[in-house]
Amino acid sequence: AQKITQTQPGMFVQEKEAVTLDCTYDTSDPSYGLFWYKQPSSGEMIFLIYQGSYDQQNATEGRYSLNFQKARKSANLVISASQLGDSAMYFCAMRANFGNEKLTFGTGTRLTIIP
Amino acid sequence: NAGVTQTPKFQVLKTGQSMTLQCAQDMNHEYMSWYRQDPGMGLRLIHYSVGAGITDQGEVPNGYNVSRSTTEDFPLRLLSAAPSQTSVYFCASSRLAGGNTDTQYFGPGTRLTVL
């Protein structure tokens, strides 16, 4: 069974500062994928970034990067130069690869950017 | 290209009523799924399908039925609604991964209240 743990229910960050959202995972699958989604107050789920378990480099997408530490089973999301529009819920999720599409989600972190 | 669409956006039911939440995608995705989102619990998988005629249970299937007669549509049926089914429901779709990086695309969600 897979499990995702997000230990920060809420965070407050000053605008323009960098922020790290924590995510640890547990799985016995040898190959898996890790995702981060953003859910603004409007409710939609927006895909941000993906990291494969065999990827050699940490994933980056614009201001988002994923700090992947496989031995520690962590996949933290780093947002550089935070903006007011980054205020939202953030979910870490995991999927086993090779035909298993089911996503397991963490409980989320509510990020609030302070002007 | 509409992506994943869900209807209705909002619904109020009385205990014991039945209804169907509609989900459709126009991306020719094989995989479709239903999640429910409750406060403090992230998203949990209800049912999923890897193709027309094939469905399976997720983490919280009780009280819900699904069918997949076409690639495009994946309706979720509540046979006898209960207050515990008050939640936000998300439909998602993706290609079958087979190890690739495809994320799941989410619909806008349906907010259901059962009185």
Side-chain angles (χ1 to χ4, degrees):
Chain A
Q2 300 174 328
K3 185 177 181 181
I4 295 283
T5 302
Q6 295 180 255
T7 58
Q8 306 154 309
M11 290 187 68
F12 291 85
V13 173
Q14 204 74 36
E15 188 180 8
K16 299 181 184 176
E17 290 185 349
V19 56
T20 297
L21 305 181
D22 294 340
C23 172
T24 58
Y25 61 90
D26 190 23
T27 182
S28 56
D29 293 307
S31 177
Y32 48 89
L34 295 156
F35 300 81
W36 277 91
Y37 288 87
K38 173 184 179 181
Q39 186 178 45
S41 57
S42 52
E44 70 269 31
M45 296 289 287
I46 302 169
F47 166 70
L48 294 178
I49 197 167
Y50 167 86
Q51 178 82 44
S53 59
Y54 287 112
D55 292 343
Q56 295 297 315
Q57 294 187 335
N58 287 344
T60 60
E61 289 287 347
R63 293 188 299 113
Y64 304 108
S65 60
L66 201 152
N67 184 0
F68 181 49
Q69 299 187 43
K70 193 171 183 178
R72 299 180 63 182
K73 293 189 174 181
S74 73
N76 298 340
L77 176 70
V78 179
I79 306 174
S80 63
S82 58
Q83 303 171 354
L84 295 179
D86 294 332
S87 294
M89 281 289 288
Y90 288 81
F91 291 97
C92 180
M94 158 181 275
R95 183 193 71 203
N97 282 342
F98 303 118
N100 184 346
E101 316 309 318
K102 291 182 282 186
L103 279 176
T104 299
F105 283 84
T107 52
T109 296
R110 181 171 296 280
L111 176 65
T112 303
I113 306 300
I114 305 167
Chain B
N1 189 337
V4 181
T5 59
Q6 290 183 238
T7 56
K9 284 187 167 48
F10 301 94
Q11 183 70 49
V12 178
L13 293 177
K14 294 181 180 179
T15 298
Q17 287 185 316
S18 63
M19 80 158 295
T20 299
L21 306 185
Q22 301 291 344
C23 174
Q25 52 91 9
D26 60 0
M27 298 173 280
N28 203 31
H29 286 163
E30 302 94 338
Y31 182 81
M32 295 185 74
S33 57
W34 278 100
Y35 295 87
R36 59 177 289 172
Q37 182 179 21
D38 301 297
M41 300 189 74
L43 278 73
R44 293 181 293 167
L45 182 64
I46 305 171
H47 285 286
Y48 66 97
S49 167
V50 297
I54 306 170
T55 64
D56 206 346
Q57 296 180 352
E59 180 185 356
V60 288
N62 292 341
Y64 308 95
N65 279 354
V66 292
S67 60
R68 183 101 178 265
S69 57
T70 66
T71 299
E72 294 78 20
D73 300 299
F74 190 45
L76 178 73
R77 296 183 187 86
L78 285 70
L79 300 179
S80 179
S84 61
Q85 293 178 306
T86 294
S87 188
V88 180
Y89 292 85
F90 287 97
C91 179
S93 75
S94 71
R95 296 191 302 172
L96 286 177
N100 70 23
T101 64
D102 268 0
T103 184
Q104 292 190 16
Y105 295 87
F106 283 81
T110 294
R111 185 174 294 274
L112 175 68
T113 301
V114 182
L115 303 175

